[in-house]
Amino acid sequence: MSSLKIGRNDPCPCGSGKKYKKCCGRLGEQVDISPDPFTRYSQLLTAVKLKLDQYYEQRIKKLRRDLRGHYLRFTVNPILPKENEAVFSEWLWFGASIGDNPALGEAYLESNGEYMDAMLKDCLVSLNDSFLSIYEVQGSEYQYLNIQDIFLGTSHRILLKEPWDEQLSQNAPLFMGRLVKLEENQLFSGMVVSLSNNSGEKDFLIRHLNFLCSLYNEDPARFIKDNEEIIYGLFDHASQQIMVNFDHMEAAGLDEIRKEQLSKAVKGGGDWQYLHTTQGYRWYRLNDQVSGYVRLALGEADFIWSAEVLDDIEKMRNLLNQAAPGLEPVVIQNRFSAQAPIDEYFNHWFLLIRDREAEQWFKTPHLEMDNKTPAEVLEEDQGREKLDQMLNQHLEASPEGQALIDYLKERIS
């Protein structure tokens, strides 16, 4: 029963412009009081989602187009598989806060909750409280599946359509989905994506989530609820067995004691390889780095460093802390943080960007160099002069590249 008496031919109070009997009034009619709880709950979930899709019909099309790139910005490829459209839709309804506005499901509940059938309202409340997470199968009993949230450690007994008859191996499969609680039962709201755990996928996901929670300084429960697109992105990397590129940078000032400690550590060899001295910094790389661009730049009064994958980030942090205990660098860049570099460290960030672009330039074949790389040309007779002349020509054609070209010229000299 709805909380207010509304005639079947009255305008629907949700504001759709339709008669109540052809709008929200139909939702209650769509739900059979089935003796099978899974069927009954599935119909409730479908009815609520259908209403949201109808209510936001025009707006949702624009949101799907405008927010798709935002949702996929942490995935391996910026293309949403057709089979995952439902995961994206549920984020639009129940997870995507647009500016200062609540998610669409919350907004609908605030505006129209008092007119909704009690069962449908309770279902919408549960959907609004839900969030995307990743679960490990623990076992099964008849029509229920026992799972555990790999991030939060919470256990859940999930109602299924039919009994689970698969045998569990040593490494149980992982499921990504959105749990909702209806009455005394829990079930997945629609789409569930599975993932094997034969190559350390579970540990990969937990390590990366914990690192991001420390980066945001948030507890996992709050982080997962607020950053559903990150969960989806991590799952995508794990499923394709591709390392996450964090594009991570840190910087800090140095007193004389810690400067001496770091200098001694990097000059001792072992973990570090000296590369060059440019713009007042001595540049080093890790000898056993895992992947991508990894650099430490040691200056007279400060240092900066950058790494891309989590193994290298953790290794850099451990080595620096061992060399100079008590260091407290500031994170000045991370791909998963929307915060721009703070003014104090903007020049440090820009210096790392220039050095990374320089490394790419040195390794890239160029037509004007007969498809040789600048690194190869530099080994030739008068190679330095050839590169310097080419950079001067580039500067004449594109004066806005002054800072990078100046940096390249210093590197080759």
Side-chain angles (χ1 to χ4, degrees):
M1 297 294 292
S2 58
S3 56
L4 297 179
K5 187 67 174 178
I6 305 168
R8 286 175 49 78
N9 292 312
D10 291 342
C12 188
C14 77
S16 66
K18 301 178 181 179
K19 291 183 179 180
Y20 179 68
K21 66 181 181 181
K22 293 187 176 182
C23 192
C24 290
R26 296 178 59 188
L27 294 180
E29 298 169 6
Q30 292 174 12
V31 181
D32 294 332
I33 307 302
S34 171
D36 173 36
F38 184 88
T39 300
R40 184 168 69 251
Y41 297 144
S42 296
Q43 289 176 331
L44 278 169
L45 291 167
T46 300
V48 170
K49 294 171 189 176
L50 178 62
K51 179 55 195 172
L52 291 174
D53 211 22
Q54 293 172 342
Y55 183 77
Y56 293 108
E57 182 177 6
Q58 296 303 317
R59 188 180 178 193
I60 201 71
K61 291 179 181 178
K62 185 176 186 304
L63 289 176
R64 285 185 192 279
R65 182 179 65 250
D66 293 348
L67 295 182
R68 186 176 296 257
H70 177 82
Y71 188 69
L72 299 175
R73 69 191 190 278
F74 301 124
T75 56
V76 176
N77 297 312
I79 299 173
L80 182 69
K82 188 175 181 180
E83 61 270 20
N84 290 354
E85 283 284 350
V87 179
F88 175 57
S89 293
E90 294 202 341
W91 173 75
L92 285 177
W93 291 327
F94 311 117
S97 298
I98 304 160
D100 295 329
N101 299 318
L104 299 181
E106 288 282 358
Y108 184 86
L109 183 65
E110 291 176 7
S111 300
N112 308 297
E114 60 182 326
Y115 306 112
M116 296 180 69
D117 178 274
M119 288 191 302
L120 293 168
K121 181 178 180 180
D122 290 343
C123 181
L124 179 55
V125 169
S126 294
L127 282 166
N128 287 336
D129 290 339
S130 68
F131 55 88
L132 191 71
S133 195
I134 301 172
Y135 303 88
E136 181 181 36
V137 176
Q138 302 283 298
S140 64
E141 45 184 310
Y142 184 53
Q143 206 169 338
Y144 289 91
L145 187 67
N146 297 319
I147 60 175
Q148 185 177 62
D149 189 312
I150 66 169
F151 301 132
L152 306 180
T154 53
S155 297
H156 305 272
R157 189 168 178 260
I158 306 304
L159 181 64
L160 302 176
K161 183 178 182 179
E162 54 191 27
W164 172 274
D165 57 4
E166 296 186 26
Q167 295 294 322
L168 291 181
S169 61
Q170 182 177 0
N171 295 316
L174 304 175
F175 289 149
M176 179 178 68
R178 180 183 297 273
L179 286 185
V180 292
K181 184 175 182 180
L182 299 175
E183 297 177 337
E184 297 303 316
N185 286 278
Q186 286 185 303
L187 68 160
F188 284 110
S189 170
M191 185 70 194
V192 177
V193 186
S194 63
L195 173 65
S196 67
N197 184 30
N198 299 320
S199 302
E201 287 84 353
K202 176 184 174 182
D203 290 341
F204 173 92
L205 289 163
I206 292 174
R207 283 185 61 216
H208 283 71
L209 191 281
N210 287 340
F211 170 71
L212 286 168
C213 287
S214 67
L215 184 69
Y216 280 75
N217 194 28
E218 285 191 6
D219 69 273
R222 183 73 265 167
F223 182 85
I224 292 171
K225 175 70 173 175
D226 292 342
N227 299 280
E228 191 170 310
E229 63 273 29
I230 290 181
I231 303 303
Y232 184 82
L234 292 180
F235 189 89
D236 185 52
H237 279 80
S239 64
Q240 300 193 49
Q241 297 189 352
I242 293 177
M243 291 183 289
V244 178
N245 182 353
F246 286 103
D247 190 15
H248 188 81
M249 303 177 187
E250 297 187 13
L254 289 173
D255 57 28
E256 286 299 322
I257 294 177
R258 288 195 172 91
K259 177 186 172 183
E260 179 64 26
Q261 290 172 331
L262 283 182
S263 297
K264 182 178 179 180
V266 296
K267 289 177 181 178
D271 296 308
W272 308 95
Q273 177 186 347
Y274 171 76
L275 298 174
H276 57 88
T277 297
T278 309
Q279 296 199 349
Y281 288 85
R282 298 190 302 280
W283 294 81
Y284 300 85
R285 56 160 286 172
L286 284 176
N287 278 324
D288 60 346
Q289 65 189 55
V290 174
S291 179
Y293 177 84
V294 182
R295 292 293 183 274
L296 167 67
L298 186 60
E300 290 299 317
D302 56 10
F303 75 98
I304 48 179
W305 67 268
S306 179
E308 294 181 348
V309 303
L310 185 56
D311 284 345
D312 287 334
I313 294 171
E314 292 179 340
K315 192 177 302 179
M316 288 288 286
R317 284 181 165 180
N318 289 335
L319 287 173
L320 291 170
N321 190 55
Q322 291 171 15
L327 280 172
E328 295 183 357
V330 174
V331 176
I332 59 175
Q333 162 76 22
N334 189 285
R335 174 190 171 198
F336 285 74
S337 175
Q339 183 177 356
I342 58 179
D343 292 344
E344 181 182 356
Y345 292 105
F346 180 82
N347 289 334
H348 297 78
W349 168 81
F350 196 31
L351 180 59
L352 283 169
I353 294 295
R354 288 199 299 269
D355 188 74
R356 187 167 57 191
E357 291 182 352
E359 289 297 323
Q360 185 65 34
W361 181 76
F362 273 109
K363 298 174 183 176
T364 303
H366 295 266
L367 288 175
E368 59 267 45
M369 301 179 192
D370 298 325
N371 282 325
K372 297 178 182 177
T373 68
E376 291 170 333
V377 173
L378 197 58
E379 297 297 321
E380 300 175 352
D381 290 339
Q382 297 184 329
R384 202 167 279 148
E385 290 78 4
K386 294 177 184 177
L387 293 178
D388 192 68
Q389 182 180 4
M390 189 189 76
L391 289 172
N392 287 333
Q393 293 171 349
H394 277 294
L395 184 58
E396 291 176 3
S398 302
E400 65 275 8
Q402 178 81 52
L404 177 59
I405 289 177
D406 285 346
Y407 187 86
L408 290 171
K409 287 166 70 70
E410 187 174 348
R411 281 286 305 268
I412 66 174
S413 66

